[in-house]
Each structure stands twice: as C-alpha cells, then as structure tokens.
Amino acid sequence: MSPDDFFRINTGSTEPIYRQLVEQVRRRVAGGQLTAGQELPSVRELAQALAVHPMTISKAYSLLEAEGLLERRRGLAMRVAPQFSRAQSSASRVELLRPTLGRAAAEARQLELPTAKVLQLFEQILNEGAAE
Amino acid sequence: MSAVITTSSPASHPAPDLALPSPSAVLRDLQLNYGSQPVLMGLNWQLLPGQVVGLLGRNGAGKTSLLEALLGLRETQAGSVHLFGQPVAQLDDACRARIGYVPQQSDLFDGFTANQLLAYFRSFYPRWNEAKVEGLMARWDIPRDKPIAKLSGGQQQRLSIIRALAHEPDLLVLDEPVASLDPAGRRDFLRELVEQVLDRGTTVVFSTHILSDLERVAFNVAFMAEGRIALQAPLDELIDEVRALSGPTAALQGLIASDGLKVLSRRPLESGRERCLVRSVQGMSGLPPSVLSEALNLEDLFMELT
C-alpha cells in the first residue's frame, strides 16, 4: 500500500492532522477497505511520504491502538485487529458520517436553506464522486 | 559570514548528556533594541531536543532578530542565551559545529561555485555527510560549477539548506527557508526535515509564512507578539483545545469562570458583546444558548495570537 495514496492530509483544517489520520483509518476499516491482519505503513514511511512530523503519526497510531482497531507487534508493522474481518453494516457505517453532516446541517441552518435544497446538493455531490 | 561556522580547529565531540535531555537552547529575559525601538522585550524561550518548532509572527514582529539573537549574531541589551548549556558568546568549537543555520538573506559567497563553497565549509567541520550532500545536490539539481551569483533564488536557497544540513547539526535554525521554493521543492525540503528528525532527533526551529508547511512538520508552534513568545504549544493541542467564543460579556465571563477556561485574548464587539479566545484542556460543559463557539485552524490562530 502506497502511503500517500492511502492517506490524505488537509492543511488549514480545524481538524488536526492526527485526527484526520485516525478518522481515515476508522472509515476504511468500517468500509472494509482495510481488513483484519492488513499492515499499515510504519511511522517512518508515513512521516516521510506525507512530510509530517513522526510524532503526529505515532499519536494517531496510538489512539487507534487504544481503540482496539490496530494491533502493535514488537518490531513489526501495525496491523488491523483480527475482529475486523469484514465491513461493518451500512447502519453503523452511516453513523460515522454523523459528525460531518452535523456540521453541514448547522451551516445550512445558518444559511437558512430549505431541507430539499440541501439534500439536492448532497445528492449531486455524491453522484459527482461516483462518476469519477 | 555567520558566527556558527568560524570554528577552525578540529573539534572533539562533547561528553554524552545525562539521562534527562537538557534543552538545546535557553533564552532568558532577552532584551533587544534597535536605537530606541524595542524588538525583544524580556523574551523567554526554550527549545528541547528533537522538537520541531514553527515560529510565527507578523511582518516586523522580530522573528529574524530573535533567531539571530539565538545564534549570538546580535548583541542584546539584557538577558542571556545558552546553546547546549554554553553562553552563546563563548561557544566552543564543538558546540558551534552542532549548529546549522539557513538565513533569510543568502550569505553564500557569490563568486564561489557550489563545489568550491561546499569544499570550503567541509574544512571547518569535524563531521560532514558527503553522501547526503551528493544526494541532495543531484536531487535538487544544483549546478556545481556555475558561480553562485548566477544561480536562481530557489537554487541558492537549496544550496544554503544543503550547507546547513551537511555537518549533521543537532540544532537547525531556518529563517524563511522555503520562500523561493515552488510547492514541489517545499515538499521535498519538508521530507528532508522529517528525515533529520527521524534519523538524528535534530532540534529544529523555523520561521515561515507558509502555514501549510508549518502545519505538517512543526509539532510545536510558537507565536511571537509584542517582543515575546506569547504562546508555545503542540499545534494539534491548540486546534483541539482553543475555541473562539462570542456572546454577551456576562454570559462569557460566567462560562470562563465555571469551566476554568484560560483566556488567550479578548476583543469587545458591539452592544455589550465580546469575542474571547479560550483554551480548555477538559473541554467545555454545555454552552449557554447566547454563546457561539467556533473551532479555529492554524491561520485563525495566527490572526488571533500574533
């Protein structure tokens, strides 16, 4: 797995880089793109590929380990924990979108937009992504 | 020419440090005036081994003066600077050899070629990583036999970076090191910095206005304002913990008192309202409906804290 294909960093975000990494791993495990036993790039590889301070990567990996998503093995790469053998149900996957959509909803209310208009835009954006 | 390269005798390595890492740099109550104009006003600062600290401040805030004072290149009116435990004015050769500096203004010898320049500097240092120099010269495409004056701004800046990395410094001071580099060149430079940290635990301090670069590699950020380091902290903690609250002054003050929030800045708004920048380690209890809380990114923090 090439680290810079796999992880995307947005600078200028109100989400710190370590949390961006944590969320990306969570989503990929939930979606089944990362499954049990699969290895993640080492701290060194990822720090170099993303040009990010190694402590930022370690912090993300430690949080994912504490959460039980990743397993650390002495001298070996971090890997996805064995219980994540397949994608979660769509019901629990969709819950991962709640924080992001919650923020979008708050902004939509500030803009005083009607629900239908907002949903229409979201649908359009989803379809654009699928067409790529 | 900068003071950090004036070592001429072969230097031995200092004795290994004690178990506790001692700071690479300690600045105490530093006062620097230009004529009657104060630039550094009782500034205190500390850099620990392996830290990568991004120095942020507005134009004219004194970042370059601070970095020069840190390196002993500016005579200060009061206060002290210690590098690796030694007063900066009396650094021995071994200590000098542990410092690398990329100044804002190129101080390379214009009449030299890159090859001549590097050969000249190599003679000063007990340690010199020829493989790294060769690798970077090739990767960064720097003409070796052209006079430095004929190189582009970006090439000169890259050469200045190579010179500063060649002797594998333990403390690397970079003043706007990427101003002339394109985005690809900047990314490559950041990778090089990350490698220094991974391989050698180098202490790095650098100033830049390119916040996206800083955000990637600077685990710590230091905000300079009014001649002091107003705040230094890990950047991700600041993004997690700092919020801009706006609302009626009474409601804000109540919240600040009840949640024990640390106030970083305050600005009055119209009709009895204000905007407060607060930091909360524990997180906040429920917000009163009259108070709006906003998360901040690095640029917002820069605007608010410098």
Side-chain angles (χ1 to χ4, degrees), chain A residues 29-72:
Chain A
V29 169
Q33 291 172 45
L34 270 178
T35 54
Q38 217 172 324
E39 291 188 349
L40 276 91
S42 68
V43 168
R44 164 176 279 272
E45 283 167 341
L46 201 50
Q48 279 172 329
L50 299 174
V52 162
H53 196 284
M55 273 170 74
T56 304
I57 314 284
S58 321
K59 185 167 176 174
Y61 278 3
S62 298
L63 281 168
L64 288 162
E65 188 192 5
E67 224 177 89
L69 239 76
L70 297 183
E71 278 185 339
R72 191 185 300 267

Side-chain angles (χ1 to χ4, degrees), chain A residues 12 18-19 44 48-50, chain B residues 191 199 215-216 239-240 297:
Chain A
Y18 83 91
R19 264 203 282 138
R44 164 176 279 272
Q48 279 172 329
L50 299 174
Chain B
R191 292 216 169 90
D199 291 344
E215 196 173 337
R216 284 175 180 269
I239 294 181
D240 277 337
N297 67 13

